[in-house]
Amino acid sequence: MHLRPFIGGLLLIATLRLPPLHAQTDHPSSTTQVTRAIAVYEWTGDLAHPTAARLLPVSLFINAHLEDAGLYLAQPIPFALQPGTLYLLQRAGQTGVPDRRSLPAGVETIGALNIESAHTNPTTSAPAWAAYGNFLSPTEATAATSTKPPATPPTFPTEAEAGTAPPAPSNHKKKQPKQQAYVTPPTTPILDDPGRPTLQSGPPAASATVPELTTLPPDLHQVAAVSDAANRAPETFAYTWPSRSIRDQTRHTLEALALPQLTHYIAFNHLTPAPTDPSSRPEAAGRSGETPVFAATTTTPTLINPQLLAYTLTDATTPTYILTAELPLTTNGPIYLTLIAQPNASSAELHLTLLSITDATHLDRTPWLRPIDAVDPDATGRASILFELRSQTTRQFALYTLTTAPPQQTLLTTPIE
């Protein structure tokens, strides 16, 4: 495959060929009302006993539209962050074990967050909403969802209709710091209406609230979270590799596709790759123990921390590959690479679908595109890729669908932090 030289940014490539949609997973009919929220749960420390944590809203599918969950009905608190809302933590669309490479057929959850409060942080450069609450163990999360009957919300008000609710008391802002909103469980539910749409509700608070995470620490962990008004059958979008050798061969092929683009990016931006000796850098073998395909010399780029993710976004057999890696520089590095490829429907050839290259000194020009997971934002059984776009001082979350050519960004949140 031939590509034009890539000087940085995001390249969407219209070479995608996928099976027809009738081969996809069953999904709700057009008469089924869907209220579903996607978020990102971030924490430090151990997942079961986090030292600090927060939930950041991403998307809300309601009234057959995808909305920015941090903006929809955001006064006095976003709809998706109301106290008592339960978010299940997921991997590859399934509440399974944390290891992305080997998801079992079981449906055991890795945990959940029961929201107790939500507020904005006015001290950050881009204040945005975040929620906090209790972390539920897998047993507690399973019990919370198994006791909830399937929801059938009858009427879905539009944002304009919901805006006709009585305004907050005039002294509401006086009780809070300037430019900050903070909400704890109210005595009377917000928009108290038995017919209004709801998300999944959690059990009454039993354990202590996890301390609030307010910074962006280097040991940050992230996982996708979902709250749905209905109990739906679990899905998995994780691709099962036929063998370890095929996985390694695929990774080498993707690295080879990335090499000429990285070489051009380095030359165009007058960068100097760092001479790296893999034997002296444990991380050069990657998180799964593979050895980088590029030799460690002063003239050949050396990828470190390579990670290969594989998903089945539309059916059980067609994989989508995501390669992420870093390339150290002598100064002001590293270079960040994100590459997505899919096989041609009629051959084994891989086609680049999306390519993003940036470096630490150009994050404001081109954010670092960091994949979080595959998620189903509208309960159709077809997954999108959830990304974090990290720049120098702010970051955003985005959803990309890869069932079109070129890929489409279906949602981009407001900047945070």
Side-chain angles (χ1 to χ4, degrees), residues 182-404:
Y182 193 100
V183 178
T184 54
T187 303
T188 302
I190 301 170
L191 298 178
D192 191 6
D193 177 2
R196 71 179 178 86
T198 59
L199 292 173
Q200 198 155 24
S201 59
S207 57
T209 302
V210 177
E212 295 183 3
L213 179 62
T214 58
T215 61
L216 194 63
D219 60 339
L220 181 73
H221 304 287
Q222 295 175 310
V223 69
V226 62
S227 183
D228 197 303
N231 285 333
R232 304 185 189 279
E235 298 171 334
T236 178
F237 302 111
Y239 174 69
T240 301
W241 292 96
S243 67
R244 177 63 178 269
S245 62
I246 293 179
R247 183 181 186 277
D248 291 343
Q249 180 182 357
T250 300
R251 182 180 60 85
H252 289 307
T253 300
L254 295 178
E255 289 179 337
L257 288 175
L259 179 56
Q261 306 303 324
L262 286 168
T263 301
H264 184 82
Y265 182 89
I266 290 170
F268 184 86
N269 292 282
H270 308 289
L271 304 174
T272 304
T276 305
D277 180 6
S279 63
S280 64
R281 297 178 65 94
E283 71 273 20
R287 296 186 181 180
S288 58
E290 304 103 336
T291 301
V293 69
F294 304 138
T297 68
T298 56
T299 58
T300 303
T302 302
L303 293 180
I304 63 172
N305 298 328
Q307 297 183 66
L308 177 58
L309 306 176
Y311 301 109
T312 53
L313 304 181
T314 58
D315 63 80
T317 59
T318 304
T320 295
Y321 305 117
I322 304 180
L323 175 70
T324 63
E326 300 176 16
L327 193 155
L329 302 173
T330 54
T331 58
N332 300 324
I335 290 177
Y336 302 109
L337 165 73
T338 300
L339 179 152
I340 299 181
Q342 295 170 311
N344 189 316
S346 59
S347 69
E349 180 185 1
L350 292 180
H351 292 283
L352 284 180
T353 302
L354 182 149
L355 177 67
S356 175
I357 302 177
T358 188
D359 65 90
T361 59
H362 295 95
L363 291 178
D364 284 337
R365 180 188 69 184
T366 305
W368 179 12
L369 195 65
R370 305 177 69 251
I372 295 178
D373 209 346
V375 297
D376 183 1
D378 52 4
T380 60
R382 298 186 292 272
S384 299
I385 301 297
L386 171 60
F387 287 100
E388 179 193 53
L389 282 65
R390 188 177 296 185
S391 62
Q392 292 285 7
T393 58
T394 64
R395 57 189 181 133
Q396 296 172 277
F397 294 105
L399 291 174
Y400 279 82
T401 177
L402 304 180
T403 58
T404 59

Side-chain angles (χ1 to χ4, degrees), residues 94-97 104-110 142 233-235:
Q94 178 179 344
T95 52
V97 296
V107 298
E108 181 182 1
T109 180
I110 63 173
T142 302
E235 298 171 334

Side-chain angles (χ1 to χ4, degrees), residues 24-308:
Q24 298 168 358
T25 305
D26 292 339
H27 55 273
S29 66
S30 58
T31 59
T32 302
Q33 297 281 16
V34 176
T35 304
R36 186 177 181 90
I38 301 295
V40 174
Y41 180 68
E42 300 183 330
W43 78 95
T44 56
D46 183 69
L47 175 62
H49 305 283
T51 57
R54 66 182 163 220
L55 184 85
L56 300 176
V58 177
S59 67
L60 174 67
F61 188 79
I62 189 170
N63 298 320
H65 289 90
L66 199 61
E67 308 282 353
D68 185 335
L71 298 179
Y72 188 84
L73 298 182
Q75 296 299 327
I77 180 175
F79 174 87
L81 299 183
Q82 293 187 34
T85 301
L86 182 71
Y87 278 84
L88 298 180
L89 310 185
Q90 294 192 333
R91 291 287 193 187
Q94 178 179 344
T95 52
V97 296
D99 184 1
R100 296 187 184 191
R101 301 190 183 99
S102 179
L103 287 175
V107 298
E108 181 182 1
T109 180
I110 63 173
L113 180 75
N114 186 32
I115 295 179
E116 284 193 343
S117 64
H119 63 81
T120 59
N121 187 353
T123 63
T124 57
S125 58
W129 284 95
Y132 309 90
N134 299 320
F135 175 82
L136 303 183
S137 68
T139 301
E140 293 171 329
T142 302
T145 56
S146 61
T147 57
K148 184 180 186 301
T152 55
T155 304
F156 290 76
T158 64
E159 187 169 6
E161 292 171 340
T164 60
S170 60
N171 62 348
H172 175 73
K173 292 184 179 179
K174 296 180 180 179
K175 294 181 181 180
Q176 311 298 338
K178 185 178 180 181
Q179 295 182 345
Q180 182 180 25
Y182 193 100
V183 178
T184 54
T187 303
T188 302
I190 301 170
L191 298 178
D192 191 6
D193 177 2
R196 71 179 178 86
T198 59
L199 292 173
Q200 198 155 24
S201 59
S207 57
T209 302
V210 177
E212 295 183 3
L213 179 62
T214 58
T215 61
L216 194 63
D219 60 339
L220 181 73
H221 304 287
Q222 295 175 310
V223 69
V226 62
S227 183
D228 197 303
N231 285 333
R232 304 185 189 279
E235 298 171 334
T236 178
F237 302 111
Y239 174 69
T240 301
W241 292 96
S243 67
R244 177 63 178 269
S245 62
I246 293 179
R247 183 181 186 277
D248 291 343
Q249 180 182 357
T250 300
R251 182 180 60 85
H252 289 307
T253 300
L254 295 178
E255 289 179 337
L257 288 175
L259 179 56
Q261 306 303 324
L262 286 168
T263 301
H264 184 82
Y265 182 89
I266 290 170
F268 184 86
N269 292 282
H270 308 289
L271 304 174
T272 304
T276 305
D277 180 6
S279 63
S280 64
R281 297 178 65 94
E283 71 273 20
R287 296 186 181 180
S288 58
E290 304 103 336
T291 301
V293 69
F294 304 138
T297 68
T298 56
T299 58
T300 303
T302 302
L303 293 180
I304 63 172
N305 298 328
Q307 297 183 66
L308 177 58

